[in-house]
Amino acid sequence: MSKSAIIRLDPEDNIAVAIKDIATGDLVMDGLTARADIPLGHKVAVAAIKAGAPVLKFGQVIGEALSPIESGDWVHAHNLGFAAGLTRIKPGAVSTASQRLPSRMTFKGIRRATGKFATRNYIGVIASVNCSTTVCRAIAEEANKRLLSSFPNIDGFVPIVHGSGCGASTNSEGQKLLQKTIAGYCRHPNFGGVLLVGLGCEVNQIALYATGGPSETRVSFDIQQVGGSRAALERAMVILEGIARAANAVEREDVPVSELTIGLQCGGSDGFSGITANPALGIAMDLLVAGGGTAILSETPEIYGAEHLLTSRASPETAEKLMKRIAWWEDYVASHNASLDNNPSPGNKRGGLTTILEKSLGAVAKSGRSPLKDCYGYAESVTSKGLVFMDTPGYDPVSATGQVAGGANMIVFTTGRGSCFGCRPVPSIKVASNSTLYERMTDDMDFDAGRLLNGDVDLHQLGQEIYDLVLDVASGEKTTSEAFGYGDSEFVPWTIGAVL
């Protein structure tokens, strides 16, 4: 077994990551033999670690040894545990590379009358309440059959539906979040027009929404008002034909990259996510930020334990905002008899991730090394340029929904286990952390970051390639999730509070 069987990410690390399956007795590195079978993506101790001592990866604490660990041991949930109180090792650094201007400074985008720019030209059929969901789906399906072929510049009619909108207090936190989220979608530049459909008697009344655009492309009605489901469908066809005629009158033009806002996501992570896909995406986002664009890091429970890497490159005011959100999550999970260390899913753990600290360190790598400019609430409109943070749950569809509501006109999603996520009205690029996944799920993956492990490319080249892919997709190139038709069921607003 050659040295290429493992990768050690920092000279201070007392573990390394297996980049191929290692069998008991294999020579892992000079003078070190594996004492157990160690699966691909999992950790092997490269030094003896005393019980209670910190375990280091990326030069950072990812947990403590639950029992003595010998050199060559497999390090995972049986001997590595969460350690909230252990001292962190290194603060985050602002890289000079983050100030390097990219060679490409424009993409082919769509200019809106509002002054915003779009990467896609969909028409949304948005439900105010679960009770109008079936009708909204039927309207979108019928419009795609009847109307779409007549309007070549429109990407499609998209149902934006959900499971809420009633049975809650009008002034509840959950209801306010839903309103903020739907309002963000109504005004999203990737919608050339919107039809908002209510039932009529729900808590989430359509009258609450100023749909954010010219009246001929932002229209609403209630099913009860127009005479029922069939009448609503036929009424919608007349309305949508007018919306489509106006929305079809667009052409793509050269747009500065400063008009791109990218939502950063990771899901189904594995032991390579923090080594290949996430840091490569971070380099791409440093290029975007240097060009004046915006990157939104989110999933607050998945930065827990690595927040110091963000606060150390933020202003005191922004750092305080972020720490207040961390404190809210600590109280929230405690009140529900849960722990933030529950976050690594069974799939994460099978892929080699053991604790929330380990997962968070890899997740933060998506943000690159640019300064953190601001911290936003869920679905809040993002107005700052540069790297920002949005408070969201770690659950990918909920998190991405908040980012899109906040103005993200693209999503880049890294995965090590495999994700099938799409997010209409915005394109979603999927980045595989390892080549095995990329080859196994080629119909769902857009980019293979696992080539780093083969020595084919270096990390900076991968980052440049992701940046170029982002601009190509922003200019109209279809992603795999768009080709398959994902995005009609991935609108999942954050639900908080009692259902009455």
Side-chain angles (χ1 to χ4, degrees), residues 39-52:
L40 171 76
H42 284 241
K43 296 175 289 296
V44 55
V46 294
I49 308 170
K50 295 179 180 179

Side-chain angles (χ1 to χ4, degrees), residues 147-167:
L147 304 176
L148 187 58
S149 61
S150 299
F151 301 100
N153 292 331
I154 292 175
D155 292 305
F157 296 83
V158 181
I160 301 296
V161 298
H162 54 96
S164 187
C166 203

Side-chain angles (χ1 to χ4, degrees), residues 36-242:
D37 292 345
I38 301 164
L40 171 76
H42 284 241
K43 296 175 289 296
V44 55
V46 294
I49 308 170
K50 295 179 180 179
V55 175
L56 304 182
K57 182 180 179 182
F58 311 105
Q60 305 281 339
V61 175
I62 63 169
E64 66 179 10
L66 300 178
S67 59
I69 299 174
E70 299 296 328
S71 296
D73 278 349
W74 176 35
V75 179
H76 199 36
H78 60 288
N79 56 10
L80 171 61
F82 180 56
L86 283 176
T87 304
R88 307 290 185 258
I89 303 302
K90 297 176 183 174
V94 176
S95 172
T96 55
S98 67
Q99 301 163 7
R100 179 169 57 91
L101 286 175
S103 56
R104 292 176 65 183
M105 293 289 288
T106 63
F107 68 99
K108 292 288 186 180
I110 299 167
R111 183 188 299 270
R112 299 298 188 197
T114 59
K116 300 292 186 180
F117 291 86
T119 61
R120 293 294 183 268
N121 192 32
Y122 285 105
I123 293 175
V125 183
I126 302 180
S128 69
V129 65
N130 179 257
C131 307
S132 59
T133 287
T134 297
V135 168
C136 285
R137 288 194 185 279
I139 289 171
E141 182 178 359
E142 190 69 12
N144 282 318
K145 290 178 182 176
R146 281 198 216 179
L147 304 176
L148 187 58
S149 61
S150 299
F151 301 100
N153 292 331
I154 292 175
D155 292 305
F157 296 83
V158 181
I160 301 296
V161 298
H162 54 96
S164 187
C166 203
S169 170
T170 304
N171 295 317
S172 67
E173 183 178 9
Q175 181 64 20
K176 289 178 179 178
L177 278 181
L178 178 64
Q179 290 174 15
K180 188 187 298 184
T181 305
I182 291 178
Y185 271 67
C186 285
R187 63 174 176 263
H188 199 284
N190 278 17
F191 280 135
V194 163
L195 173 61
L196 179 63
V197 181
L199 177 60
C201 55
E202 64 271 18
V203 169
N204 191 39
Q205 291 281 297
I206 60 174
L208 295 168
Y209 297 92
T211 46
S215 58
E216 70 271 17
T217 59
R218 300 293 193 271
V219 183
S220 61
F221 67 71
D222 287 327
I223 297 169
Q224 293 167 348
Q225 171 195 357
V226 301
S229 301
R230 179 60 60 183
L233 188 148
E234 294 304 328
R235 172 75 173 272
M237 291 305 105
V238 176
I239 293 170
L240 289 176
E241 186 171 7

Side-chain angles (χ1 to χ4, degrees), residues 325-346:
R325 298 316 303 163
I326 295 285
W328 182 92
W329 277 96
E330 289 175 329
D331 291 342
Y332 181 71
V333 298
S335 68
H336 288 78
N337 297 316
S339 166
L340 284 168
D341 191 42
N342 289 341
N343 182 274
S345 69

